[in-house]
Amino acid sequence: MTQTTFTPRVFSGIKPSGGLTLGNYLGAIKRFVGMQGQMETIYCVVDMHAITVWQDPKELANMTREVAAGYLAAGLDPSQSILFNQSQVSAHAELGWIFNCVARVGWMNRMTQFKDKAGSNAEKVSLGLYAYPALMAADILLYHATHVPVGEDQKQHVELTRDIASKFNHDFKTEFFPLTTPVIEGPAMRIMNLRDGTKKMSKSGESDMERINMTDDADTIAKKFKKAKTDPAPLPETVEGLSDRPEARNLVEIYAALNDMTAEAVIAEYPGAGWGTFKPALADLAVAKLAPISEEMARFMADPAEIDRILGAGAVKARAIAEPILRQTYDIVGLLRS
Ligand code: AMP
Ligand code: TRP
């Protein structure tokens, strides 16, 4: 069978489960902006994913606005991209249920992120946390998205999305869903914790010193980079010299991603440099790139009604694409519409 061709379309999302980090910016948002204008782009604040772990109802709406403010401040433009929050388009939950019935328990058991997050507590976490990759597949396939820009940690979930699309197409003898391509490229696909270069930088680590938040002010950004853990050796002369040095490699990769260059080019600019030289240069670069975004985020956050309006208008556009695809899915599955 020849694969049906689908119009190129980008979908991606971020959970409003805590403040945005530099990992979210470099691994996701900055790249979302880069794809805008090149093809149709749909970016979602995935609030239904956030509630797979407890969220204070009083905070959730504000966190949703804050992720939206991060999108807007970084350069996503509601006239060029569809921006909305997931719960305003109920088709996500509906297609998510169908995919719960397509995905196999054995597939879910292989998801490494679930194993990491649930740890020894797997009996006590929500069923939603276990099933969430099927909802993520629904987020993507509800728009027949062909490209999904994500950080390295999401690769397995986009591969699962392809498995779900293939099994659906095979079981129902159709070519209805595309096999989506994960877009994971560039130097910053896995930004590490500033205090421990073996752990991913995340919204929820214990200490604020281990991450850069998109809302941090210039002094805080500079302080966090200057205190970042490193080994004592200077930077190597070639990029190969970073291979067993996770903290050093992380700082070089952050510099590269912030400045749109490769890690090789950073090393060529700072061969053999000591931390006393490189850390202040990195801090200055990060402040120059991030401070304008954090100021713009604060400006958006001062007008929540405007953010709500943008998300509501985006949801109308999202529904116009999603609802016909959901209806066709129901027809393929044989769910009666009368
Ligand atoms: P989340 O905050 O888990 O909803 O992640 C949203 C997006 O940010 C996903 O595409 C992640 O892969 C990306 N992301 C989150 N943390 C990092 C990180 N430390 N490095 C690179 N990408 C990240
Ligand atoms: N699961 C992703 C994360 O934790 C967020 C997400 C949900 C997503 N749905 C998506 C990313 C669809 C890309 C496409 O980071």
Side-chain angles (χ1 to χ4, degrees):
M1 239 192 296
T2 53
Q3 173 78 33
T4 315
T5 46
F6 291 88
T7 316
R9 187 180 272 158
V10 176
F11 181 96
S12 198
I14 297 184
K15 299 190 293 280
S17 52
L20 291 168
T21 68
L22 182 65
N24 295 130
Y25 177 63
L26 295 176
I29 301 175
K30 186 170 191 277
R31 300 166 58 232
F32 298 176
V33 178
M35 294 174 101
Q36 180 173 259
Q38 310 211 347
M39 47 184 134
E40 194 180 351
T41 42
I42 306 175
Y43 298 119
C44 188
V45 184
V46 286
D47 46 6
M48 313 231 338
H49 284 277
I51 61 168
T52 54
V53 299
W54 172 251
Q55 300 298 330
D56 181 343
K58 292 192 287 294
E59 297 285 323
L60 182 58
N62 245 343
M63 291 308 313
T64 301
R65 292 189 186 104
E66 192 169 306
V67 175
Y71 283 175
L72 293 163
L76 292 181
D77 172 353
S79 70
Q80 291 192 67
S81 292
I82 298 180
L83 307 178
F84 72 108
N85 60 308
Q86 185 187 23
S87 60
Q88 295 210 67
V89 180
S90 60
H92 288 251
E94 294 172 80
L95 187 62
W97 178 255
I98 292 180
F99 287 169
N100 278 341
C101 302
V102 173
R104 305 289 94 183
V105 168
W107 300 359
M108 294 314 195
N109 286 341
R110 286 198 287 275
M111 294 297 113
T112 56
Q113 192 182 57
F114 178 78
K115 289 187 220 168
D116 293 347
K117 281 199 177 177
S120 54
N121 209 18
E123 296 280 313
K124 299 241 169 72
V125 298
S126 75
L127 184 55
L129 187 68
Y130 182 67
Y132 110 90
L135 179 61
M136 176 164 164
D139 300 337
I140 295 167
L141 296 174
L142 191 52
Y143 301 91
H144 281 178
T146 54
H147 295 81
V148 176
V150 281
E152 180 65 41
D153 62 322
Q154 294 302 317
K155 185 167 185 229
Q156 196 182 31
H157 296 152
V158 184
E159 284 163 357
L160 182 89
T161 301
R162 294 167 66 96
D163 291 341
I164 289 176
S166 291
K167 181 162 166 56
F168 183 99
N169 289 348
H170 177 266
D171 289 354
F172 295 102
K173 300 188 176 46
T174 171
E175 290 186 25
F176 189 60
F177 288 116
L179 300 185
T180 307
T181 307
V183 184
I184 302 173
E185 59 199 9
M189 292 307 93
R190 192 172 175 83
I191 297 295
M192 307 311 276
N193 176 322
L194 298 181
R195 309 300 283 181
D196 178 351
T198 65
K199 289 196 194 134
K200 192 185 78 155
M201 182 184 288
S202 80
K203 291 165 177 158
S204 55
E206 302 111 56
S207 157
D208 199 54
M209 289 301 287
E210 67 188 47
R211 63 180 160 263
I212 304 285
N213 304 300
M214 278 181 74
T215 49
D216 283 345
D217 61 24
D219 289 349
T220 310
I221 294 173
K223 185 175 84 197
K224 286 178 176 175
F225 276 122
K226 285 180 188 151
K227 296 214 158 146
K229 183 184 162 203
T230 53
D231 55 40
L235 285 181
E237 304 284 333
T238 64
V239 78
E240 289 72 36
L242 292 170
S243 57
D244 295 324
R245 299 177 60 192
E247 285 88 8
R249 188 180 61 222
N250 190 41
L251 295 184
V252 169
E253 287 182 355
I254 291 172
Y255 191 105
L258 282 169
N259 219 19
D260 298 311
M261 56 203 285
T262 61
E264 284 81 358
V266 177
I267 293 295
E269 204 172 308
Y270 292 96
W275 294 113
T277 306
F278 188 70
K279 280 183 173 179
L282 174 59
D284 287 348
L285 174 66
V287 168
K289 299 283 180 182
L290 297 177
I293 301 177
S294 99
E295 280 162 31
E296 193 64 5
M297 268 179 87
R299 211 180 55 72
F300 278 110
M301 284 305 281
D303 189 358
E306 173 64 4
I307 297 180
D308 295 5
R309 190 195 63 72
I310 291 170
L311 294 177
V316 172
K317 293 188 203 161
R319 274 184 223 117
I321 303 173
E323 283 172 358
I325 292 181
L326 182 69
R327 275 198 297 277
Q328 291 175 69
T329 310
Y330 275 32
D331 290 344
I332 292 169
V333 173
L335 298 168
L336 178 69
R337 276 196 291 135
S338 57

